């Protein structure tokens, strides 16, 4: 058996241990809810995760949509405490986002988090500790730099993969200013069986469309819009989605995936078109805001209605990590888009 075949076989066994019921097709990088003083709003986070849990079984916390690039270590630790408690309660799979621009810093953060999880679970063995906490791995991006060669990017990611812990690689050129090439991703997949998942939010989809054999790595798409054609169920190159808009449309995406699995392609397309139109409008409404990122801002605006339903207009807009509330005109635009495309919830999950 060649090295690549050996890595693929070992990866398959590892994925079976991490996900006894199969890797979830739908993942969500949860938004982070804040109270009026700027702290993590634990009850609100719990309500949001519980609301999504029938349809979304995998969460990335913190991801870009959850302000993972903006938070300090104290905030992230508190957020993880809340997420870990809910993951056990409602049986979710949790990918811990380690969003650092430096590979060595990312590696050390992962090791520190594993040690913390060991204390939290009372288990010395990292694999057993992660399993008890329902943590299925750590998500990292390439080191940041537009001038980094593929060899330099690979060097940083290799150091992280050499920990032996389950790792998801995240293609996010909007932040890192570079991309992992199909060759690099293939080489890493053939070498490391703990490289278990690859997320691409670039919108270019070069790795998935390259036709290269990534040896059983689970491929998820993070770019928004025109959802149906990207899944393997419809002849596309991806195994699943890891979508910011699953914060609001988790149930719609779940139904769309079920329709595709059952061959009801037209039904799936209709859902995809309505969600795509809504997402485009709301993302347009948050363009140019001075605080936050478009993924977080747009999803907070839409979730405001899924949380409060018909009372949303009478509730203060959600707080951003930087402190300000989302502008009322953004909330109004989100409500109009949801109504126009028949996606406004009949009742909020906080009502």
């Amino acid at each position: 058996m060649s090295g690549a075949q050996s890595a693929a076989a070992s990866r398959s066994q590892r994925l079976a241990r991490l996900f006894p019921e199969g890797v979830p097709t739908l993942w969500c990088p949860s938004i982070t809810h804040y109270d009026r003083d700027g702290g993590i709003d634990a009850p609100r986070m719990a309500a949001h995760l519980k609301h999504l849990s029938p349809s979304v079984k995998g969460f990335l916390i913190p991801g870009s949509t959850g302000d993972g690039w903006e938070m300090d270590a104290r905030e992230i630790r508190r957020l993880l405490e809340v997420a870990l408690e809910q993951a056990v309660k409602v049986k979710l799979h949790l990918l811990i986002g380690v969003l650092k621009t430096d590979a060595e810093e990312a590696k050390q953060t992962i090791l520190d988090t594993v040690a913390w999880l060991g204390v939290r679970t009372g288990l010395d063995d990292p694999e057993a500790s992660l399993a008890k906490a329902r943590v299925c791995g750590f998500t990292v991006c390439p080191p940041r730099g537009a001038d980094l060669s593929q060899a330099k990017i690979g060097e940083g990611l290799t150091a992280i993969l050499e920990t032996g812990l389950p790792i998801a690689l995240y293609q996010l050129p909007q932040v890192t200013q570079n991309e992992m090439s199909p060759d690099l991703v293939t080489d890493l997949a053939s070498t490391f069986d703990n490289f278990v998942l690859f997320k691409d939010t670039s919108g270019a989809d070069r790795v998935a469309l390259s036709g290269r054999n990534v040896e059983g790595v689970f491929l998820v798409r993070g770019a928004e819009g025109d959802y149906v054609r990207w899944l393997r169920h419809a002849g596309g190159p991806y195994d699943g989605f890891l979508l910011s808009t699953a914060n609001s449309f988790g149930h719609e995406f779940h139904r769309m995936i079920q329709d595709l699995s059952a061959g009801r392609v037209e039904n799936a397309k209709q859902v995809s078109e309505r969600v795509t139109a809504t997402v485009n409008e709301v993302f347009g409404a948050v363009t140019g805001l001075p605080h936050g990122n478009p993924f977080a801002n747009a999803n907070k605006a839409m979730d405001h209605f899924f949380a409060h339903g018909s009372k949303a207009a009478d509730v203060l807009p959600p707080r951003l990590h930087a402190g300000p509330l989302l502008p009322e005109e953004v909330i109004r635009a989100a409500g109009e888009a949801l109504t126009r495309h028949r996606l406004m919830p009949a009742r909020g999950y906080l009502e």
Side-chain angles (χ1 to χ4, degrees):
M1 183 181 291
S2 70
Q5 290 173 324
S6 176
S10 297
R11 179 178 297 108
S12 178
Q13 295 170 4
R14 184 186 287 264
L15 285 170
R17 293 196 303 273
L18 290 170
F19 306 100
E21 298 176 358
V23 186
T25 304
L26 179 60
W27 295 73
C28 175
S30 176
I31 52 178
T32 300
H33 300 280
Y34 305 101
D35 59 29
R36 292 308 166 195
D37 295 322
I40 304 298
D41 190 337
R44 184 78 167 75
M45 291 290 304
H48 184 214
L49 293 173
K50 183 180 179 181
H51 162 67
L52 291 174
S53 63
S55 299
V56 185
K57 300 300 183 183
F59 285 84
L60 167 60
I61 299 178
S64 301
T65 306
D67 307 319
W69 293 102
E70 289 80 33
M71 287 182 171
D72 61 30
R74 179 188 57 81
E75 290 174 309
I76 290 173
R77 188 59 57 87
R78 175 60 186 141
L79 177 62
L80 288 178
E81 288 174 342
V82 175
L84 289 164
E85 182 179 346
Q86 296 308 311
V88 172
K89 275 188 177 180
V90 292
K91 294 181 170 54
L92 305 173
H93 296 288
L94 180 62
L95 272 171
I96 295 179
V98 181
L99 304 185
K100 306 292 183 182
T101 57
D102 176 77
E104 188 57 40
E105 184 182 2
K107 177 182 175 180
Q108 189 58 53
T109 300
I110 291 171
L111 295 176
D112 291 344
T113 304
V114 169
W116 174 68
L117 289 171
V119 173
R120 183 181 174 88
T121 60
L123 297 172
D124 293 329
D125 178 67
E127 185 169 333
S129 174
L130 265 61
K132 184 175 181 179
R134 298 192 67 85
V135 173
C136 56
F138 298 89
T139 298
V140 299
C141 288
R144 185 175 183 176
D147 58 344
L148 292 183
S149 66
Q150 290 298 301
K152 196 66 177 176
I153 294 172
E155 181 182 313
L157 296 175
T158 292
I160 294 170
L161 286 160
E162 283 176 343
T163 63
L165 297 162
I167 299 295
L169 298 185
Y170 185 178
Q171 187 94 288
L172 186 64
Q174 299 95 319
V175 172
T176 65
Q177 303 174 351
N178 56 48
E179 287 193 35
M180 295 169 275
S181 71
D183 285 347
L184 175 58
V185 174
T186 303
D187 289 345
L188 293 173
S190 65
T191 305
F192 296 101
D193 69 344
N194 57 313
F195 171 17
V196 294
L197 186 144
F198 178 79
K199 178 191 179 183
D200 194 333
T201 307
S202 68
D205 306 287
R206 292 186 179 89
V207 172
L209 294 175
S210 69
R212 298 295 300 272
N213 185 357
V214 287
E215 307 295 343
V217 173
F218 197 84
L219 303 181
V220 293
R221 190 171 198 258
E224 300 286 349
D226 195 16
Y227 304 97
V228 167
R229 73 185 183 94
W230 291 103
L231 282 184
R232 292 198 194 278
H233 290 309
Y238 284 98
D239 301 299
F241 290 126
L242 205 166
L243 295 168
S244 70
T245 53
N247 279 285
S248 296
F249 302 122
H251 301 315
E252 284 75 14
F253 287 131
H254 177 67
R255 187 169 75 248
M256 184 187 76
I257 291 167
Q258 286 186 316
D259 283 340
L260 284 176
S261 299
R264 299 186 293 267
V265 178
E266 285 306 312
N267 288 358
K269 284 183 177 179
Q270 289 176 16
V271 174
S272 176
E273 288 169 0
R274 288 163 54 211
V275 171
T276 297
T278 305
V279 168
N280 287 343
E281 289 186 30
V282 180
F283 271 72
V286 301
T287 299
L289 290 183
H291 302 290
N293 68 71
F295 295 101
N297 294 343
N299 283 287
K300 281 179 177 282
M302 292 185 290
D303 175 72
H304 189 66
F305 290 91
F306 282 88
H308 299 289
S310 60
K311 300 177 182 178
D314 300 322
V315 178
L316 279 176
R319 179 183 174 122
L320 305 182
H321 180 264
L325 306 184
L326 266 180
E328 290 187 3
E329 59 268 25
V330 169
I331 298 297
R332 188 181 312 112
E336 291 171 355
L338 288 165
T339 300
R340 185 179 307 111
H341 299 292
R342 308 188 314 281
L343 290 167
M344 179 66 76
R347 182 180 176 83
Y349 61 80
L350 292 179
E351 291 187 275

